[in-house]
Amino acid sequence: MFTETVPPLYPLFADLRGRSVLVVGGGAVARRKAEALLQAGARVIVNAPALEPDLAAWAGNGRITHRAGRFRREWLRGAWLAIAATDDPAVNREVAEAAEAQRVWVNVVDDVELSRFQVPARVERGPLQIAVSSGGGAPMLARLVRERLEAQFDESFGALATLLARRRARIRARWPDIGARRRAFARLLAGPLQGLLRRRRHLEAERLLEAELRTGDDGGSAATGSVALVGAGPGDPGLLTLRALRVLNEADVILHDRLVSAEVLALARRDAERITVGKQAGGDRHTTQARIHALMVEHARAGKRVVRLKGGDPFVFGRGGEELESLRAHGIDYEVVPGITAALACAAYAGVPLTHRDHAQSARLVTAHCKASLDTLDWAALAQERQTLAVYMGVAMLDTLRARLLAHGRDPRTPFALVENGSRPEQRVITGTLRELPALAERHAVRAPALLILGEVAAFAQSLHWFGAAPLGTAVAGGSPGVLDEAA
Ligand code: SAH
């Protein structure tokens, strides 16, 4: 049985090109096994009395060879591997014993005892493969580890492996000494090469490698850092993108806003330096923004992988554009990882569809953080019905907002949903109509961060809410926008 004294399996990656492999079984499991073997270039022979449709089609067009009928030992002859994937334990055992006797490596699906080799769970990135095995004892655990790895390594690893494999001979010739080669690799991988591949700039990546092969020495040139402008989403760490997670895993320095939740920060690389660069209320905004620019440049120049982490999406009321301009001006490499912006997250977590075939044909993202920003808005356009307004940074300006919308003719009965701390455990949703908006916000002491959704669709918060507590405030009768139309 499986105890700690069982020696570990010996891992190995087999070259099966042109080699025969016998798969016994004709169902879905056998098909999956056959498919993976075909991918590896094996000559697949499937033995089963009957084949499921795909296998039958492949047998028909010659991709695989079909041996009909019950398993016979002589079909193992010439095979390098055998896989027993039938649902008949007796047949599986027979295949295992026959294979053992003929020294053919055998795997019996889901049977550690009978198997002489295990097929690992794996992550594939081009020629780069990461195989995970629990020795067959805990395949679910292996799968779990695989999932984590899957999230951690993006497609650029495949491109990188392909690129390096193609230049293998030249790389060896350039750095014949293994120590020098290792140092060169470390330098290459710490540099912008992979970032270029991630940004699908393969040509530039190739040129960079070329240049390195021609001129690079192992003395170590100045390291170049980079900045990733990353959207952290509204707070729920589940709303991070895979790319954001990967970039956070590789970060040396994280410059983050106050808006970024602790749960998200907890997912970043443990020894990354974390710097809060949130703007203090009442602070001089320009100095602060200039200081953020300076910090990004300074750390990138020191060769660090900098993550500039922002709440929501970096390009939605996040000054991301200005930050990129500054990086560009300083010649620093950057990439942008979008995040789920507050409007999308708050709408989703409040059960409010931002658009709706019957109630809203457009949605606008607007900011209302001060009088000056309000003055630049086109109120006549904003007051039109059947559109949704998502208002950022508006908590302090609700009075003015209401007055202007009403003055431009928006119906005072237009529903709103005010979402405070959207997607976070402490989320609150206040609903009501435009007429009572400032009063309700005050009664419930709504604080930033809060997002206002105004428009016919906001009424859905009453009926479609699913996250956290039910909405506070006044219910729009019926909890659906139709009622407003009827009353009109
Ligand atoms: N770049 C961010 C917005 C920054 S402006 C994004 O894309 O979401 C800050 C404003 O965003 C806040 O005043 C608030 O209106 C809104 N906001 C951000 N996170 C929020 C959250 N979790 N819940 C409600 N509103 C949020």
Side-chain angles (χ1 to χ4, degrees), residues 128-340:
L128 183 75
Q129 297 204 52
I130 310 171
V132 183
S133 168
S134 65
M140 282 301 163
L141 183 63
R143 230 165 280 169
L144 197 90
V145 171
R146 189 199 70 89
E147 269 167 38
R148 293 208 188 154
L149 293 170
E150 194 73 71
Q152 210 153 325
F153 295 97
D154 64 30
E155 309 69 37
S156 70
F157 281 87
L160 186 61
T162 306
L163 182 63
L164 293 174
R166 226 186 292 138
R167 296 284 193 284
R168 181 153 187 265
R170 301 221 9 234
I171 290 171
R172 289 183 156 241
R174 176 69 190 80
W175 297 286
D177 171 59
I178 174 109
R181 194 150 73 235
R182 204 172 283 153
R183 283 192 295 280
F185 256 91
R187 190 176 66 246
L188 211 57
L189 296 187
L193 185 66
Q194 196 166 5
L196 284 172
L197 293 171
R198 193 178 292 139
R199 282 175 280 153
R200 302 285 191 272
R201 285 154 74 159
H202 292 222
L203 221 63
E204 278 165 76
E206 280 195 43
R207 265 189 236 130
L208 186 81
L209 180 59
E210 244 346 281
E212 196 76 21
L213 280 169
R214 270 199 311 272
T215 63
D217 53 57
D218 49 314
S221 52
T224 36
S226 60
V227 176
L229 190 58
V230 178
D236 177 347
L239 295 181
L240 268 185
T241 62
L242 275 182
R243 171 141 302 166
L245 190 62
R246 286 168 181 154
V247 172
L248 282 170
N249 264 316
E250 290 169 3
D252 298 313
V253 178
I254 300 169
L255 303 170
H256 65 90
D257 286 352
R258 268 174 217 292
L259 211 52
V260 174
S261 73
E263 290 86 345
V264 167
L265 282 171
L267 294 173
R269 209 180 114 209
R270 294 242 174 276
D271 40 3
E273 184 185 351
R274 292 159 166 78
I275 305 172
T276 313
V277 292
K279 298 178 191 93
Q280 299 281 12
D284 182 336
R285 289 186 145 262
H286 264 92
T287 317
T288 315
Q289 191 63 35
R291 173 143 176 70
I292 293 171
H293 294 178
L295 280 169
M296 291 194 300
V297 171
E298 181 189 312
H299 286 289
R301 287 221 168 121
K304 301 284 167 58
R305 277 165 299 192
V306 180
V307 169
R308 170 74 179 104
L309 189 61
K310 291 165 166 292
D313 179 88
F315 279 177
V316 178
F317 305 126
R319 307 190 77 166
E322 292 159 60
E323 294 179 7
L324 287 200
E325 282 178 307
S326 161
L327 293 171
R328 171 125 236 156
H330 288 89
I332 286 162
D333 241 3
Y334 57 76
E335 66 184 289
V336 184
V337 182
I340 297 198

Side-chain angles (χ1 to χ4, degrees), residues 407-421:
H408 286 83
R410 190 105 195 205
D411 192 321
R413 291 165 304 173
T414 307
F416 77 82
L418 191 52
V419 185
E420 183 192 70
N421 283 309

